[in-house]
Amino acid sequence: MAMREILFILSVILIFCCSTGTAFGINSTDNKSFQSGDYLDSEVSNVNFDYYHEFWGLNSYGNTVITRYGKLPVLETVEQKKSWNSTLEELSNKIKGTIASKYMYPHGQVVTCGANAKGYFVILFKYGNVDKSLMNEIYSLIDNSAKEMGIQDIPVEFGYGTYFKADVPLSPDVKDLSESKIYFIEEYMKQRHEPIYKGGDIANYGTIPLFKDENEYNVWANKLDLVYKRVGEKIDAYMDKGQLRSFGLELTRLQVGIPENISSEEKMTISKEIYPIIDGEARKLNVTDVPVAFQSVGNYTDVIANSNGNLTTNSNGNLTTNSNGNLTTNSNGNLTTNSNGNKSSDKKVTPGFGLLGNFICLYGGWKFRKK
């Protein structure tokens, strides 16, 4: 199949995914990186979604740290880290009721309770301008509960999250919410929800900005699209040499796919070489600290995705989804959709073509290495 046809199919998928509706309840900050220094030496990259994991609340797709309290324990072995993480989760369950009823949305500004890879207990807020007195109050609650478990100086990180979740619109005006909606949000917030997106397993660079509404997200997505297009020709050269397999826009960041069958050292060398190229072109467009995730990718497979949108290919390579959009392919493999206008396409979905395992609600285009 010609690359143009493949890109057309992907565009149809993107339009469908985004048409199902999402809500943004996100905050504004000055978007300064919490850390400075070399790209690979940063203590935290908010591009790396795997650095944080949630105990309950919404999954964030980019965090900015406000401040940290307490003292980290010594965690030198895998067993120590697992044990500490279990302790933090036990602590989270201990305080869940109080946090949810008093401080968590829709009753307050807290949106996520979790932990990070460093060992901090993490509290994420919905918007910026959080009073220090509020953080002190919440820390006192967490610290007192931790002391009851024999933990002194519990390490807690407070920050802002970037949220992309249709099920719970983070409305700035909660007084307009109905009682049934409030009850739904309360119950939803007390649950753990598996993230759709993952961090790059090779490297994660840059900073994802935090947005106060969907309009700010759209402005950012347009900037990323310009960077993506500007870098395209330079990326093509690496694809022609087989050093890269894919390059595209994913939600709030750029993503670069490096062949999985090369050595770790070579993967890191390529990422160190590629990022300054992307960053340099981004700076020409006044985008600094551009967020990019570098991931290992194999040969494209039949599996597309089956998360929230139930978007899959069956054994014959036919693309299907049964979530409100009715995007399907017929018995001949033709891509169709009967949602809001009975649109259809004669472009076919080819078996053996995958979408990197997480191709849901992407904003823009993708480049794939031609075979």
Side-chain angles (χ1 to χ4, degrees), residues 41-69:
D41 292 336
S42 293
E43 179 187 354
V44 177
S45 168
N46 75 345
V47 186
N48 184 1
F49 301 153
D50 286 336
Y51 184 84
Y52 291 89
H53 65 274
E54 285 63 47
F55 294 136
W56 29 272
L58 302 187
N59 289 288
S60 173
Y61 301 109
N63 299 352
T64 289
V65 179
I66 303 172
T67 189
R68 287 165 172 163
Y69 292 66

Side-chain angles (χ1 to χ4, degrees), residues 193-321:
H193 304 281
E194 293 300 320
I196 296 174
Y197 298 95
K198 299 291 186 180
D201 62 321
I202 300 172
N204 296 278
Y205 301 119
T207 302
I208 296 171
L210 304 176
F211 320 105
K212 67 182 180 183
D213 55 35
E214 187 172 354
N215 289 332
E216 288 196 0
Y217 167 77
N218 289 334
V219 170
W220 169 248
N222 286 332
K223 288 182 179 180
L224 268 189
D225 187 50
L226 290 175
V227 175
Y228 165 77
K229 292 174 180 175
R230 190 179 185 107
V231 179
E233 290 186 5
K234 295 183 178 181
I235 293 296
D236 284 342
Y238 287 89
M239 289 198 176
D240 291 341
K241 292 186 290 185
Q243 292 180 298
L244 297 183
R245 190 158 278 160
S246 63
F247 175 55
L249 282 70
E250 183 193 75
L251 194 64
T252 52
R253 62 185 181 178
L254 295 173
Q255 181 175 298
V256 179
I258 299 177
E260 65 180 4
N261 59 351
I262 64 177
S263 68
S264 299
E265 293 76 13
E266 189 174 357
K267 289 176 185 177
M268 188 61 69
T269 298
I270 293 172
S271 67
K272 286 182 177 180
E273 184 176 341
I274 294 292
Y275 183 75
I277 294 173
I278 299 175
D279 187 56
E281 294 300 320
R283 289 176 185 274
K284 294 176 184 177
L285 298 169
N286 296 319
V287 177
T288 58
D289 209 17
V290 61
V292 183
F294 287 82
Q295 296 182 331
S296 301
V297 295
N299 293 326
Y300 308 128
T301 67
D302 292 336
V303 178
I304 293 179
N306 191 22
S307 178
N308 289 349
N310 298 317
L311 189 62
T312 62
T313 57
N314 62 22
S315 59
N316 295 320
N318 294 326
L319 179 65
T320 64
T321 175

Side-chain angles (χ1 to χ4, degrees), residues 20-208:
T20 56
T22 50
F24 298 82
I26 314 172
N27 60 71
S28 59
T29 72
D30 60 4
N31 190 31
K32 293 181 180 178
S33 301
F34 183 72
Q35 289 79 25
S36 60
D38 185 78
Y39 300 123
L40 293 176
D41 292 336
S42 293
E43 179 187 354
V44 177
S45 168
N46 75 345
V47 186
N48 184 1
F49 301 153
D50 286 336
Y51 184 84
Y52 291 89
H53 65 274
E54 285 63 47
F55 294 136
W56 29 272
L58 302 187
N59 289 288
S60 173
Y61 301 109
N63 299 352
T64 289
V65 179
I66 303 172
T67 189
R68 287 165 172 163
Y69 292 66
K71 182 179 179 181
L72 281 173
V74 177
L75 303 173
E76 296 179 340
T77 67
V78 174
E79 289 72 20
Q80 287 175 329
K81 292 178 180 179
K82 287 183 178 179
S83 176
W84 178 247
N85 189 65
S86 296
T87 299
L88 293 183
E89 184 158 13
E90 181 183 347
L91 174 61
S92 79
N93 290 328
K94 184 179 176 69
I95 65 173
K96 181 188 293 187
T98 304
I99 294 289
S101 63
K102 188 174 181 181
Y103 300 106
M104 200 164 198
Y105 181 81
H107 305 293
Q109 299 182 59
V110 174
V111 179
T112 300
C113 176
N116 65 26
K118 198 80 173 178
Y120 281 94
F121 193 89
V122 174
I123 295 290
L124 297 180
F125 294 102
K126 168 184 164 188
Y127 296 117
N129 303 318
V130 177
D131 292 336
K132 185 172 176 140
S133 60
L134 174 60
M135 290 186 287
N136 288 341
E137 183 178 334
I138 295 176
Y139 180 77
S140 179
L141 165 67
I142 298 172
D143 189 43
N144 289 335
S145 296
K147 287 177 179 176
E148 294 175 1
M149 297 171 59
I151 305 169
Q152 303 297 320
D153 296 321
I154 181 71
V156 178
E157 176 183 292
F158 290 96
Y160 307 129
T162 296
Y163 297 98
F164 188 85
K165 189 66 182 179
D167 293 338
V168 177
L170 296 178
S171 170
D173 197 353
V174 296
K175 71 176 184 294
D176 294 333
L177 297 175
S178 64
E179 290 186 9
S180 60
K181 186 65 175 179
I182 290 175
Y183 176 78
F184 168 79
I185 293 174
E186 289 173 342
E187 294 304 308
Y188 191 94
M189 287 296 194
K190 289 188 286 187
Q191 300 172 23
R192 184 200 301 267
H193 304 281
E194 293 300 320
I196 296 174
Y197 298 95
K198 299 291 186 180
D201 62 321
I202 300 172
N204 296 278
Y205 301 119
T207 302
I208 296 171

Side-chain angles (χ1 to χ4, degrees), residues 348-359:
K348 293 187 178 181
V349 178
T350 302
F353 183 77
L355 298 182
L356 307 180
N358 54 5
F359 202 97

